Amino acid sequence: MVHIYAVSITDFPEETVPRLLSIVTAEKKQRLLAFYHRDDLVRGLLADLLIRKIAAETFAVPAKSILFGTNAYGKPSLLDPCSRLHFNLSHAGSWVVCITAEHPVGIDIEKKQAIDLQIASQFFAKEECAFIEEEADSKRRLERFFHVWTAKESYIKAIGKGLFLPLDSFSTVKEGGVEGWREYEQGDWFFKTYALDDDYALTACAQTESFGEKVEVVPLDSLIAYFHSN
């Protein structure tokens, strides 16, 4: 089963930052403190804490003991004893999201905003461009763009090989949408979109169609409290 989790950074209590930074590795702490914008630090910090909590509860190990590795392309992974759990993280605006499963997965969230849709013709496959352009309503056309964008990003992240694969070399669109089964050179993959927030597009990618129906929203206060008590 594929699980999707989300936590909002809205109303994040600044006074908890020093305590929470003590949970992450020294290297991660240094990277987080280098961010110019405070929200970038908060999103990165909560992403680390969210997957730590999920893994700790799944394998009954201390959250602070969890170790991370990366593959040759930089995709993060959990190390033993949690290595059976695959995950991926994404964050934008007010949200941090996480996907987990027993096989490679990817997820992407983007805040919908005005954008030059000509970008699609530069980076998307022909089928995806046609899917966007055939929508007459400007608002729904923009939504289609972000559904395609998050689907492509989720797949790129799922296969874990970075941007070696040109974005226009594969299409996420089939039968008038981005959801469902796709057959690529890298195997069979499935996409599912989620309605987490009207202002955001969220798409998950996995090697199974057994997706959870809803995003599990983790209350910010409960996530912070978990690390104050463990």
Side-chain angles (χ1 to χ4, degrees), residues 65-114:
S65 71
I66 290 170
L67 300 176
F68 298 91
T70 57
N71 70 7
Y73 299 90
K75 183 180 181 181
S77 61
L78 292 164
L79 301 181
D80 287 336
C82 307
S83 57
R84 297 197 315 275
L85 187 68
H86 292 259
F87 77 96
N88 194 230
L89 297 159
S90 182
H91 44 77
S94 300
W95 291 101
V96 173
V97 295
C98 177
I99 182 173
T100 64
E102 294 183 353
H103 45 71
V105 285
I107 195 167
D108 190 54
I109 185 169
E110 299 289 341
K111 187 171 184 179
K112 300 172 190 173
Q113 55 189 323

Side-chain angles (χ1 to χ4, degrees), residues 127-145:
E127 297 91 339
E128 295 167 327
C129 292
F131 170 67
I132 295 167
E133 293 168 0
E134 70 187 14
E135 174 53 63
D137 181 81
S138 60
K139 182 179 180 180
R140 289 196 292 269
R141 191 160 58 245
L142 187 67
E143 290 178 347
R144 286 191 176 194
F145 172 88

